[in-house]
Amino acid sequence: MQTKLVKIENKPSDDASMEEAAELIKNGELVAFPTETVYGLGADALRPEAAKKIYAAKGRPSDNPLIVHICKYEELLSIAKEVPPQAKKLADAFWPGPLTMIVWKNERVPYETTGGMDTVAVRMPNHPTALRLIEESGCLIAAPSANTSGKPSPTEATHVLRDMDGRIPMILDGGPVRIGLESTIIDLTEEKPMILRPGYITKEMFEEVLGEEVQIDPGILAADITDPSKGGQKPKAPGMRYKHYAPKADLVLIEGATDHVVAKINELVAGGQKEGLRIGVIATDETYHRYQADVVFSIGARTDEDAIAQHLYKILREFDEQEVDAIYSESFKTPRIGQAIMNRLLKAAGYQVLHV
Ligand code: AMP
Ligand code: MG
């Protein structure tokens, strides 16, 4: 299959490409498209054969459910068995935006879309191209991140092309995404709302809108979710259980005061280089010049957590291209979205952390 990559610039010149993309979705085919979080790989959410194609293209395990993307609040009502009281408040506050709500599904949603679950994940993305594709196709669009299963989520169309070339008919290129981390997932099917995946929208933001306590799935806070013997509890969102986002090289995070971290990383780099290894470092604008590694990437200014989130996946992908043997990274427990950033980075590192 030939994969067509087309630029979308939110101008009248997009009309033909958008029409073609909408037609593909209507016909049960796959289209990758930009959202504000990461690029999604979309198909008609209400057609089992269409949803199945997503799993095949990504190599995704069939028990890992997809997120259904909508462009109007009423579409949530059309696929939910019950709409919990919190849903409207959260939609008013955060939709369109980087928020996914889990609700009980009705019979319109096939189990192929929900990975066999009786609940469904729903999001209204805040991106003109995504909203236009949903609207023009007249479909609800099931879309997980548009990467090959196990790779970092794509934050640019070239990342999608690298993973999906020859596997899907069309990629809409809307340039680099704004947020760079996947949506926050909140489960509204139990008595108390619970965050299943941290993201740009935080526990505090939810609590302010809902006026009630919001829990965080203990399974995602555990030290090492891949190893229950280390006290890890199974996360509730199936996707959070898989080893994820891992670069090809071994990645280790170093935590502590900046001067100690820089010294330790330089020591590890020197040790590795002595053995003939090629070593990469993830630094910040402030520390970038202090490292003597083979490849050093700055993730952004330490004070700019939005930039750190935006650049994380691109850097992990670039290390794969650079063919390094090991990567050492500073850690980024920033005030607001640090939990989401560290959740992704820890998974990429297979939970290897050195404290100095
Ligand atoms: P992705 O869009 O690639 O980030 O994948 C979607 C994420 O949403 C995965 O982590 C899924 O496990 C999670 N998800 C989707 N549907 C559900 C559901 N019904 N219950 C819990 N988690 C879900
Ligand atoms: Mg994903």
Side-chain angles (χ1 to χ4, degrees), residues 288-305:
Y288 178 79
H289 61 282
R290 297 174 66 185
Y291 293 109
Q292 289 96 44
D294 300 281
V295 185
V296 184
F297 286 123
S298 173
I299 199 165
R302 184 158 278 283
T303 47
D304 186 354
E305 54 180 333

Side-chain angles (χ1 to χ4, degrees), residues 66-353:
L66 311 175
I67 294 175
V68 176
H69 291 72
I70 63 174
C71 67
K72 296 184 202 79
Y73 181 74
E74 293 66 41
E75 290 168 335
L76 166 69
L77 311 179
S78 80
I79 55 171
K81 192 169 170 190
E82 306 160 16
V83 179
Q86 298 98 342
K88 183 75 172 67
K89 282 189 194 168
L90 292 179
D92 286 343
F94 301 118
W95 275 358
L99 165 65
T100 297
M101 297 191 225
I102 309 285
V103 298
W104 293 105
K105 78 173 195 74
N106 68 20
E107 67 297 334
R108 286 186 75 209
V109 187
Y111 283 113
E112 282 77 2
T113 294
T114 66
M117 297 180 81
D118 288 314
T119 55
V120 61
V122 189
R123 175 165 111 86
M124 190 190 294
N126 187 9
H127 194 289
T129 308
L131 291 170
R132 184 169 173 190
L133 185 63
I134 301 166
E135 171 108 53
E136 288 197 12
S137 65
C139 296
L140 310 193
I141 299 186
S145 52
N147 51 288
T148 304
S149 199
K151 289 259 227 143
S153 295
T155 55
E156 295 178 6
T158 50
H159 301 163
V160 182
L161 187 64
R162 184 155 260 278
D163 287 9
M164 293 297 151
D165 197 12
R167 294 171 166 261
I168 63 174
M170 194 172 194
I171 301 170
L172 302 176
D173 178 356
V177 300
R178 187 163 55 79
I179 293 180
L181 296 177
E182 304 84 350
S183 57
T184 307
I185 300 179
I186 190 165
D187 183 358
L188 300 178
T189 63
E190 309 269 345
E191 208 177 307
K192 283 193 179 151
M194 183 182 276
I195 295 174
L196 305 190
R197 175 170 74 182
Y200 188 84
I201 298 176
T202 61
K203 172 179 154 78
E204 290 71 29
M205 290 159 81
F206 285 129
E207 289 179 341
E208 195 177 321
V209 168
L210 295 176
E212 68 177 308
E213 195 199 340
V214 171
Q215 297 179 323
I216 300 182
D217 179 4
I220 60 172
L221 296 176
D224 182 352
I225 55 166
T226 59
D227 183 357
S229 72
K230 290 187 187 158
Q233 194 173 327
K234 232 174 157 195
K236 286 201 165 164
M240 300 295 278
R241 293 173 203 152
Y242 292 102
K243 186 168 180 193
H244 236 171
Y245 318 120
K248 287 184 208 152
D250 205 36
L251 168 64
V252 179
L253 313 187
I254 321 295
E255 245 172 43
T258 304
D259 286 345
H260 295 163
V261 169
V262 172
K264 185 69 190 177
I265 290 181
N266 275 328
E267 180 191 320
L268 291 163
V269 169
Q273 287 175 335
K274 218 180 252 170
E275 290 174 37
L277 301 178
R278 207 171 133 74
I279 313 284
V281 169
I282 303 180
T284 54
D285 289 354
E286 293 84 349
T287 55
Y288 178 79
H289 61 282
R290 297 174 66 185
Y291 293 109
Q292 289 96 44
D294 300 281
V295 185
V296 184
F297 286 123
S298 173
I299 199 165
R302 184 158 278 283
T303 47
D304 186 354
E305 54 180 333
D306 290 328
I308 293 173
Q310 216 174 38
H311 299 145
L312 175 63
Y313 288 146
K314 181 187 169 81
I315 286 179
L316 292 178
R317 280 184 177 261
E318 280 182 8
F319 273 123
D320 281 352
E321 310 279 313
Q322 293 278 344
E323 314 236 314
V324 294
D325 301 297
I327 308 166
Y328 299 107
S329 176
E330 297 180 13
S331 88
F332 309 101
K333 289 187 172 159
T334 58
R336 199 174 44 82
I337 49 172
Q339 186 176 48
I341 295 169
M342 289 306 290
N343 169 265
R344 310 311 195 268
L345 198 54
L346 278 163
K347 281 210 266 182
Y351 299 88
Q352 300 186 85
V353 185

Side-chain angles (χ1 to χ4, degrees), residues 24-33 40-55 66-69 113 133 137 139-144:
L24 284 166
I25 296 286
K26 269 189 222 166
N27 291 331
E29 299 299 333
L30 304 183
V31 175
F33 60 94
L41 180 60
D44 185 345
L46 303 186
R47 271 166 65 182
E49 334 79 71
K52 273 191 190 161
K53 286 185 186 165
I54 294 179
Y55 291 90
L66 311 175
I67 294 175
V68 176
H69 291 72
T113 294
L133 185 63
S137 65
C139 296
L140 310 193
I141 299 186

